[in-house]
Amino acid sequence: MNRNSYLLILLASLLVLPFPLFAQGTYEAPPISFGNFNTQGSASMGYRFTDVSGYRPMYMSMMNLRSGPRLMDFSLLGSAKEGANTFADNYSLTASGLGGDPFPTAQVTVSKHKLFDFRASWRQAYYFWNQNDTAILPITTVAAGLSKGLTDNHNWDTVRKFGSADLTLHATDHLRLNVDYYRTTESGTTFTTASPDFLTSPSYWGSYARANPFYLFAPINDETNRLTGGVDYTYHSWSLHYVAGYQATSVNQTLNNISSAQLSIDPAKTSTLEPLSSFTWSNFRHLSTPVSEFSFLGKPLKRLEWRGSYFFYRYRGPASFDQSFSGTGPTATSGVLAPFSVSQSGRDTLTEPDHILSQGFTYDVTDWWSLSADYRYSHLTSTGIGSFSSLFNGTTPAAGATNIEWHNNLSDVNVQMDFTPIGTLILRPGVRFTRLNVEAIDGGTIDANVTRTINTVRPELSFGYDPSKKFSFRGDIHSLNDGSPYTAMNPHTEAGGHGVVQFRPFARLSIDNDLNVSNGKFLTTRFENHVRANTTTASYALNERFSIFAGFTYESLFAQGYVLYIRGTAPLNDFLHDQEINRVWQGGIDAKPTRRLGVRFSGNFDSSSGVGRISGEPPAYGPVRWPLATGTLYYNFPQIGRLSLDLQRTYYVQQIVTGNNFAANLLTIRWSRDF
């Protein structure tokens, strides 16, 4: 859609202004009599036009706003008429984003005073990601004479659906009964990469598997269902809560090659003629558990608050794995290739009992001094008992049994004090001690490579100071000492702070500043991680008809360290380096030149100069620019409502991988009305 097309649409919209379509008016709509209820509501409906040039999948990944009719917002609120004997006192129905937007929602509530409350909600979340895998990267592969480079080849187009229904019955003023149902699903198309490796593979296979990832089609279908019933009871200063029920989760995924014969995504290997003829892989897991959750809160003494909880779950169920692939690959003789075929499978029974216990108290020593302490202990065990088998070229079968246990014991103690020496000052010093014991047992023998006990100390000081209504300051200073990091990319020590300053020199002007600083390191692996982030925003309201805001964010991220690869040819120890500087400028105005006419404008400009490197290779991803501006023109018509025109303009520019760049124009025509 070009600029002339937008002009024609704008003129056509102006011609239909007098017609009473959907709109939100400037008047107070009288309630509608609906049975024994007085009902009011509002609706906003429109149509969006989109014009995208460049790499459209990247636009879908970043925005995912498509053309078509939309129900932007809808609300319906009802209350029982005075003296009417109805089944409910209040009800509501709200919805937004229906018709194809990425995050639609809907919710229904019904309530009767001192009798019941019912709430049902639904929402969807669309996730799309597809970078240009055919883009030319600045990495030159000398051995193959190629300069295409290697992209991640990970894409997905999935949707998650969340639904819940909650009913609370008020048996008495102190006793409530609850029934809750929750369901979530995830389904859709994904593309991923995998290497053709297998159990008991020969030593020479490691280099081949590491260097030959293949692009695979991998649809997913997952779901979780949870049904619980509970009791809430309050007596004086005590409240008790208990929930019991059942939860089940199923995960089902398959992977298949997209063509035959298929070459590795690594351009350095496409000339070695190691094609993959076929690849099939299926995973299935179903875990179910009883649910038992108990918590309480009370005051045994006037100055003492006591709280605690105990949760228990026992996940259990089958898991299966089947895989087969064939093609051309290496042999025991260096440089000699030959056809191969592999099949393997596994059957497992998983058991995961979880115990989570917490206890805590708060004691008010004086009116300005209180002491709090909380202890949390969790014992999580995962046991997998099963069998596996693999067959390589039909001549070297391998089979075995697995009995692997993981024990995770976490003890967490958090102690803090609250001081309010004066009404405008709050000091909250504290310290947290954590002890994590990870133990892996394979066939009855402890695996020392992954078994470890980690002790962590986190002192922290939080504070808040409000010397006047015009100025306030709050934040925290914290540090961390992790005795034995579990991975090479975890910090051994870390220190940082966070501060927020709010300044309001007069009623119509507000200036806020948010600062975040963090420094972490692990000298053994030369790991470092530094974060610097600062955001300043200012807003000014001249009067009810004009306001303006502006802001700037600066963020600096730095990380480096070594990654150790288990299998394959040298280099096995690669050095990673990632450094980014992100800047975001934003601003906007809201003006009403007349009582019925309004104009809004908001925009932001994102700029990133990030550069990442590995093993001395040139960076594949670097500086990015992404501006987005939205302008809105609206007019309120008496008793008819509001007509709004939203025009958005954006473009996305990657300096190195230009194949991902796009530009887009969006025009939305909206009518809104109160009723």
Side-chain angles (χ1 to χ4, degrees), residues 310-378:
Y310 172 65
F311 296 167
F312 172 76
Y313 312 98
R314 185 180 179 85
Y315 295 94
R316 183 179 176 86
S320 63
F321 161 77
D322 293 283
Q323 185 185 64
S324 65
F325 50 87
S326 63
T328 301
T331 64
T333 303
S334 179
V336 177
L337 302 177
F340 70 84
S341 64
V342 174
S343 64
Q344 60 179 344
S345 63
R347 298 294 182 268
D348 205 352
T349 299
L350 306 176
T351 305
E352 299 179 6
D354 301 342
H355 303 267
I356 305 171
L357 173 69
S358 68
Q359 290 286 289
F361 70 87
T362 299
Y363 183 71
D364 297 324
V365 182
T366 66
D367 293 340
W368 54 271
W369 177 21
S370 66
L371 172 66
S372 298
D374 290 273
Y375 173 72
R376 180 182 176 90
Y377 173 77
S378 62

Side-chain angles (χ1 to χ4, degrees), residues 34-302:
F34 182 71
N36 291 323
F37 291 90
N38 292 322
T39 300
Q40 289 181 302
S42 64
S44 180
M45 187 175 182
Y47 195 97
R48 179 187 298 120
F49 302 87
T50 62
D51 176 29
V52 181
S53 59
Y55 190 60
R56 187 177 181 87
M58 194 64 188
Y59 164 80
M60 301 300 295
S61 301
M62 304 299 291
M63 299 185 67
N64 206 8
L65 297 177
R66 313 186 187 198
S67 300
R70 297 289 185 270
L71 179 63
M72 281 73 174
D73 292 289
F74 177 83
S75 65
L76 194 65
L77 309 174
S79 59
K81 296 178 179 178
E82 186 176 353
N85 185 15
T86 60
F87 74 97
D89 294 329
N90 301 280
Y91 75 88
S92 68
L93 171 62
T94 59
S96 65
L98 301 184
D101 276 356
F103 305 104
T105 64
Q107 181 174 279
V108 176
T109 65
V110 183
S111 64
K112 182 74 172 179
H113 182 60
K114 291 188 175 182
L115 185 59
F116 75 90
D117 294 288
F118 174 77
R119 181 187 302 270
S121 63
W122 168 87
R123 61 188 175 96
Q124 282 191 168
Y126 292 94
Y127 297 96
F128 185 92
W129 183 257
N130 187 347
Q131 290 198 319
N132 194 337
D133 295 318
T134 64
I136 304 300
L137 301 184
I139 302 174
T140 301
T141 305
V142 178
L146 301 174
S147 60
K148 175 183 175 183
L150 180 62
T151 57
D152 55 24
N153 285 265
H154 288 186
N155 308 313
W156 56 83
D157 185 2
T158 62
V159 57
R160 291 182 181 178
K161 299 179 181 181
F162 307 85
S164 65
D166 310 310
L167 175 64
T168 300
L169 301 176
H170 300 264
T172 69
D173 291 340
H174 302 284
L175 178 64
R176 295 181 300 277
L177 307 177
N178 307 298
V179 179
D180 303 315
Y181 174 70
Y182 174 82
R183 174 179 171 83
T184 179
T185 63
E186 181 178 15
S187 60
T189 300
T190 69
F191 291 89
T192 187
T193 58
S195 297
D197 205 354
F198 58 98
L199 297 168
T200 67
S201 61
S203 59
Y204 63 81
W205 198 266
S207 298
Y208 166 77
R210 179 186 172 195
N212 284 275
F214 291 90
Y215 188 55
L216 304 175
F217 174 59
I220 59 174
N221 187 11
D222 306 340
E223 68 174 51
T224 296
N225 293 277
R226 176 185 167 107
L227 177 63
T228 61
V231 177
D232 290 299
Y233 184 73
T234 58
Y235 180 74
H236 296 297
S237 62
W238 290 86
S239 62
L240 305 174
H241 176 70
Y242 180 70
V243 169
Y246 178 81
Q247 178 175 314
T249 300
S250 295
V251 178
N252 192 0
Q253 184 175 29
T254 60
L255 292 83
N256 294 276
N257 54 304
I258 60 174
S259 63
S260 182
Q262 184 172 330
L263 297 179
S264 166
I265 67 169
D266 189 346
K269 296 298 177 183
T270 56
S271 65
T272 61
L273 301 180
E274 298 175 336
L276 186 71
S277 299
S278 66
F279 190 104
T280 61
W281 182 347
S282 65
N283 293 322
F284 174 76
R285 183 173 70 250
H286 178 82
L287 296 177
S288 60
T289 178
V291 175
S292 180
E293 301 174 349
F294 171 73
S295 61
F296 69 90
L297 176 66
K299 300 191 70 173
L301 301 174
K302 182 179 180 180

